[in-house]
Every structure is written in structure tokens, then in C-alpha cells.
């Protein structure tokens, strides 16, 4: 296998029988085949869209299929074979749609008519024709790297789109634009300017998708509000929900009602505790554990059942909880029970069969819930503090966390920020410092937890509102970015920030391997991206630019 899509990749890429994440070469090959067929789906869907035709089934399947190929989501080979079979059927469905609409079906890109076969030997033989490094010798690493920037940006955007879709929020224009960009990628383009243009188009698209997901979350569960979340367990039977999907969490809370099972969030679901529609359930007991990379320790110590709703799943067989963890949605691991149709009774039954927590732990809380509605609700107060000089700098520190050395940078930077500054944080990167005591300014906590990684939308809206009120451009604000990159959702968010023209983004702790030094120099020159270095030196540079 060859994989460079996330920071877990070995130096030079995961060129081995098994990736650092636990993905086998066979699974990696099947993912490549699936995405090549899905590009063919988009070729036809894009031609149909040009004639005003759309198929809701095709549009619904597309983000789900792409989502399954993200880092630490689905490791189940049998599921991927099934997805490939469905993708081929969807491609034919999209072809018939385009044909019926009278679309021009000449000069089609290769994935539109590529047939990988369905037997194990056929799929294995087809994999090299779908591999991301297939044209490395012909086109060179910079061109292939830019194509991968588009590929991985589409993956991240699809994930956010799927989160919105399962809550009942879809947008025809968003689907059409996704198909347009994926159809462009299907041509194996080589023009640098066109590749960069389409990468920024993904940024624009992802902003729309995050806006849609924000509407889905707030429309279903209300706007987050400042909430002191219990971070230590209570006595009783227990079920832990990890991942990102708040619709699944709601279903679990509804089905666990009256059973005596206490439900805890983990990782990126911590922000769910601030939504009125979810925290109204008294058996939502708080949060247990930290970021995704700590899950093997957290899950092993948790005396109940576990449900993984989306990325990021780590090999459960290395610890002692494989018999009490369940997957749902796009997630999968060979041998783990997979729950469908939002039926979580097996997981609840498993929780009842486990010992649970014997006693209450000493109570510790963490205040969260500072999304855009809350912060903009006190905008006058915040602007007054800025004008008076009580708040001199704003820092956005967060993103996707990981296990590699160097990520203490984000903790060290947050701890070193001046006492007259506010730290906005989101994603699992906040677990690096969110339990530290950084104090407050006039009663406003210095650390403002905005939410999940997709709540970069909230941060962007907040920054825009402050800039507008102060009658300056966003890049003229004393606002500094330190973004931890890990996987494809972070790639999509970064492209959104670049699309919006945000500059001086400190990105790290390592930069994506799929971008060559030449391409990185383009991004550095065009957008002033700055690789993270020493936290103190970077902080000094940020403050000098303010």
C-alpha cells in the first residue's frame, strides 16, 4: 500500500503491508478503487447537472462513500467490497440520468467507464489503476501532490456533508459543486493554476457545507450555550459515545432513557454537552477521557459499552474492550458489531451487562459552549474590551490532534499567550490545554471552547463580525492562527481559510507529506502559511505582527 493522506503516514508515506493506523494494504486498495469509481459517478452527475437533472439517491450516497475512506474510519474489507458494488450501480444510475437529460456524453474521463471487476483477484488487479501514485513518473510529485490536495479536501468536505445529511440537511447546489470538482479530478489534470483554483473552490464549497452543518446542528439541538460539563464519572452503568455524530448521540440518549445507563461523550463529542436539545437528558452524564489518540487507554479503562459514530477509530484488538465496542454510520472494523437503522439497543444491553462505575469520582467540570451565537451575543462587551485595550490579542489554537511528538507546541503556545488575550479553540486539539487554568478577563474565560472542528465556521463568523464592527479587514485584526493538522477534515478547513484569504496561519506540527517543497512554497508565497516552530519564537512573531 501507499498512503500519505494523514500525519500518521510514515516518512515518505505508508509504503507497507499495513499502515500506521492499522489499515491493511487490501483495505487501502479497496478504498482507492471505490474513490476511482466515485469519480466516475461524479462525471455523469456533473453532466446531468449541466442539464438541470439531479438524482437524490446518487447525491446521498456520494458523501457517505467518500467519508468511509477517511483516516481511522472504516477498516472493514467486506464493507468496501459492498460499497464498490453499490458505487458501480450508482454510476450506471447517474449515466442513465445524464443520458435521459440529453447531456453530452462524449470525451468522458477514464473513471466513467472503468470496470474494476468484483472478484478478489479482479479488485486486486484493478488497484494499481486507482492508486494515487499511478502517474507519479509521468506527471511528477508536485502535480500528483496538488491532485491529492483536491482528493483529500473533497474527503473532508464529504465528511462534513454527511454529518449534515444524516440530520436531514442537504443542498442541491452543494452536491452539484462537489460532483463538478470530483469530475475535474477524474481527468487527472496537470495544469498547476487549474489545480490550485479547484483546491480553493473546495475551500469555498466546504464553507457552505460547514454553514449547512451549523444550521443542521443548531436547528435540531439549539444553539450551544455556556455549560459546565462534568469531566469525571458518576456511579452506575455507563455507555461512552465517541466520534462526531450528534444525531447518533441523541438516538442513544432516547433509547437509553429509563434503563439506568448513564451516557458519556468522548473526544470530539465533548461540545454536544452544550446543546440544549441534548443536555436536557439527565442521563447525559458528561465527558469521559480526552482526544481520539488517547482512546485505547480511555476505552480500556471505561467499565461499560462504547459506540464509535465516526472517525477516529484505533485498533480495538490491542486492548481489552473489543467485546464491548460497536460501530455505526461510516465506521467499521473487521469483526466488530456494526449497528444500523439507529438501533442502539445492543450497545445499551451490553452497557447493562458491564460493571459500570462503582462510585462517584470527585467532581471536576470544564466550561464549554462559546460558539458564534454566544460570543456574538456579547459582542458589544467584547468590542468594548478590545477598544479599551483590555483584550489586545485573539488566538485561534486548535484543530485535529494526533500522537506524534511536537504537538505539545499547541499547549505551550496557549500557556504562553499574554494575560490580556483570549484563546478561541476547537477540534480535539483543545484537549492539549483545555483543562489548564488560564484565568479570565472581566469574567470572560480566557479560553473559549467554540466546539468541534467543523465549528471553524463559528470562529470565522466571529472574526468577521469583530472585523466589521471595528471597520477593518480580518487580516488586520490582532488575530493569530495556530492550527494542528492531522487528516482530511483539517485539509478541507485549511482550504476554506485560504479561500477566505486568511493569512499568517501557523500550521503544524508537521506539514502534509503529499505536498512537495515546490507546492508548499507556492502556498507560503501566496497565503503566507507558516510552519510551526518554537512556540515562544512563533508567539513573538505573532505579537510583532499585531
Amino acid at each position: 500500500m501507499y498512503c500519505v493522506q494523514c500525519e500518521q503516514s510514515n516518512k515518505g508515506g505508508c509504503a507497507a503491508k499495513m499502515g500506521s493506523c492499522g489499515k491493511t494494504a487490501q483495505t487501502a486498495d479497496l478504498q482507492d478503487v471505490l474513490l476511482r469509481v466515485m469519480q466516475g459517478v461524479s462525471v455523469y452527475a456533473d453532466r446531468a447537472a449541466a442539464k438541470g437533472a439531479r438524482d437524490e439517491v446518487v447525491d446521498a450516497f456520494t458523501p457517505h462513500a467518500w467519508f468511509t475512506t477517511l483516516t481511522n474510519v472504516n477498516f472493514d474489507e467486506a464493507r468496501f467490497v459492498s460499497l464498490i458494488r453499490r458505487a458501480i450501480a450508482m454510476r450506471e444510475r447517474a449515466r442513465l440520468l445524464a443520458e435521459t437529460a440529453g447531456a453530452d456524453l462524449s470525451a468522458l474521463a477514464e473513471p466513467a467507464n472503468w470496470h474494476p471487476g468484483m472478484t478478489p483477484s479482479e479488485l486486486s488487479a484493478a488497484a494499481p489503476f486507482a492508486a494515487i501514485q499511478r502517474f507519479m513518473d509521468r506527471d511528477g510529485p508536485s502535480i500528483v501532490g496538488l491532485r491529492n490536495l483536491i482528493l483529500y479536501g473533497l474527503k473532508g468536505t464529504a465528511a462534513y456533508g454527511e454529518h449534515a445529511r444524516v440530520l436531514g440537511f442537504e443542498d442541491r447546489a452543494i452536491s452539484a459543486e462537489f460532483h463538478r470538482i470530483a469530475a475535474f479530478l477524474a481527468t487527472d489534470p496537470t495544469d498547476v493554476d487549474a489545480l490550485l483554483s479547484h483546491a480553493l473552490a473546495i475551500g469555498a464549497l466546504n464553507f457552505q457545507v460547514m454553514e449547512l452543518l451549523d444550521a443542521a446542528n443548531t436547528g435540531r439541538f439549539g444553539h450551544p450555550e455556556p455549560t459546565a460539563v462534568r469531566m469525571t464519572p458518576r456511579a452506575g452503568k455507563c455507555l461512552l459515545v465517541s466520534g462526531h455524530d450528534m444525531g447518533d448521540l441523541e438516538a442513544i440518549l432516547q433509547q437509553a432513557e429509563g434503563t439506568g445507563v448513564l451516557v458519556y461523550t468522548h473526544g470530539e463529542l465533548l461540545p454536544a454537552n452544550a446543546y440544549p436539545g441534548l443536555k436536557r437528558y439527565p442521563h447525559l452524564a458528561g465527558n469521559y477521557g480526552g482526544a481520539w489518540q488517547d482512546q485505547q487507554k480511555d476505552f480500556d479503562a471505561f467499565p461499560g459499552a462504547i459506540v464509535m459514530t465516526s472517525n477516529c477509530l484505533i485498533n480495538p484488538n490491542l486492548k481489552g474492550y473489543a467485546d464491548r465496542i460497536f460501530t455505526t454510520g461510516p465506521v467499521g472494523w473487521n469483526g466488530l458489531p456494526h449497528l444500523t437503522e439507529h438501533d442502539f439497543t445492543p450497545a445499551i444491553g451490553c452497557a447493562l451487562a458491564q460493571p459500570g462505575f462503582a462510585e462517584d469520582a470527585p467532581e471536576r467540570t470544564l466550561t464549554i459552549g462559546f460558539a458564534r451565537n454566544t460570543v456574538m451575543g456579547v459582542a458589544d462587551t467584547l468590542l468594548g474590551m478590545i477598544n479599551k485595550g483590555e483584550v489586545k490579542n485573539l488566538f485561534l489554537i486548535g484543530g485535529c490532534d494526533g500522537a506524534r511528538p511536537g504537538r505539545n507546541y499547541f499547549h505551550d503556545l496557549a500557556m504562553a499567550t499574554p494575560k490580556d488575550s483570549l484563546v478561541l479553540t476547537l477540534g480535539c486539539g483543545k484537549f492539549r490545554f483545555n483543562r489548564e487554568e488560564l484565568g479570565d478577563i472581566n469574567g470572560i474565560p480566557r479560553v473559549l471552547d467554540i466546539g468541534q472542528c467543523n465549528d471553524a465556521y463559528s470562529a470565522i463568523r466571529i472574526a468577521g463580525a469583530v472585523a466589521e464592527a471595528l471597520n477593518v479587514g480580518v487580516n488586520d485584526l490582532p488575530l493569530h492562527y495556530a492550527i494542528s493538522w492531522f487528516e482530511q477534515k483539517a485539509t478541507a478547513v485549511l482550504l476554506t481559510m485560504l479561500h477566505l484569504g486568511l493569512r499568517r496561519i501557523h500550521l503544524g506540527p508537521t506539514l502534509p507529506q503529499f505536498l512537495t517543497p515546490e507546492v508548499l512554497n507556492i502556498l507560503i508565497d501566496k497565503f503566507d502559511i507558516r510552519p510551526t516552530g518554537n512556540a515562544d519564537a512563533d508567539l513573538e512573531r505573532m505579537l510583532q505582527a499585531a
Side-chain angles (χ1 to χ4, degrees), residues 75-259:
F75 301 80
D76 191 331
E77 292 177 25
R79 292 259 304 280
F80 278 111
V81 172
S82 176
L83 283 165
I84 291 168
R85 183 176 290 107
R86 290 180 62 195
I88 292 171
M90 289 294 167
R91 186 175 62 183
E92 177 61 14
R93 186 173 179 130
R95 187 193 68 79
L96 290 172
L97 175 73
E99 184 178 72
T100 302
D104 177 11
L105 297 185
S106 63
L108 296 171
E110 178 188 82
N113 296 308
W114 179 60
H115 293 282
M118 287 306 305
T119 68
S121 60
E122 288 173 333
L123 289 169
S124 179
F129 296 92
I132 59 172
Q133 76 275 28
R134 174 185 174 192
F135 294 117
M136 191 73 77
D137 292 340
R138 187 191 74 182
D139 299 335
S142 292
I143 294 299
V144 172
L146 282 170
R147 287 203 293 258
N148 287 339
L149 178 62
I150 292 174
L151 180 73
Y152 302 146
L154 285 172
K155 285 192 181 192
T157 301
Y160 291 140
E162 178 68 357
H163 287 314
R165 187 192 70 80
V166 296
L167 290 175
F169 280 66
E170 298 178 80
D171 185 286
R172 179 174 186 152
I174 286 175
S175 296
E177 178 67 355
F178 188 97
H179 289 308
R180 185 188 73 81
I181 299 171
F184 166 78
L185 184 62
T187 65
D188 300 310
T190 58
D191 182 85
V192 171
D193 289 337
L195 287 162
L196 285 171
S197 174
H198 281 79
L200 292 180
I202 293 172
L205 176 64
N206 188 61
F207 184 73
Q208 294 177 304
V209 172
M210 290 194 299
E211 184 176 38
L212 186 71
L213 179 53
D214 178 87
N217 286 335
T218 57
R220 177 86 159 258
F221 309 115
H223 283 279
E225 52 195 24
T227 304
V229 180
R230 185 178 176 116
M231 302 294 286
T232 51
R234 293 158 42 189
K237 303 289 186 178
C238 51
L239 193 157
L240 188 62
V241 188
S242 192
H244 301 71
D245 198 303
M246 288 191 284
D248 285 338
L249 175 61
E250 180 186 48
I252 289 169
L253 288 167
Q254 291 171 343
Q255 293 170 37
E257 202 162 16
T259 65

Side-chain angles (χ1 to χ4, degrees), residues 13-97:
C14 284
K17 292 182 178 179
M18 181 172 290
S20 302
C21 62
K23 181 171 62 179
T24 66
Q26 290 81 4
T27 299
D29 286 347
L30 291 171
Q31 290 181 352
D32 289 344
V33 170
L34 172 62
L35 287 183
R36 194 68 172 166
V37 175
M38 289 306 302
Q39 289 171 45
V41 172
S42 288
V43 167
Y44 289 115
D46 179 52
R47 300 283 178 105
K51 292 294 184 179
R54 179 202 183 199
D55 188 314
E56 293 182 0
V57 175
V58 170
D59 288 350
F61 177 74
T62 296
H64 176 81
W66 281 76
F67 192 178
T68 62
T69 69
L70 264 72
T71 299
N72 293 74
V73 175
N74 196 334
F75 301 80
D76 191 331
E77 292 177 25
R79 292 259 304 280
F80 278 111
V81 172
S82 176
L83 283 165
I84 291 168
R85 183 176 290 107
R86 290 180 62 195
I88 292 171
M90 289 294 167
R91 186 175 62 183
E92 177 61 14
R93 186 173 179 130
R95 187 193 68 79
L96 290 172
L97 175 73

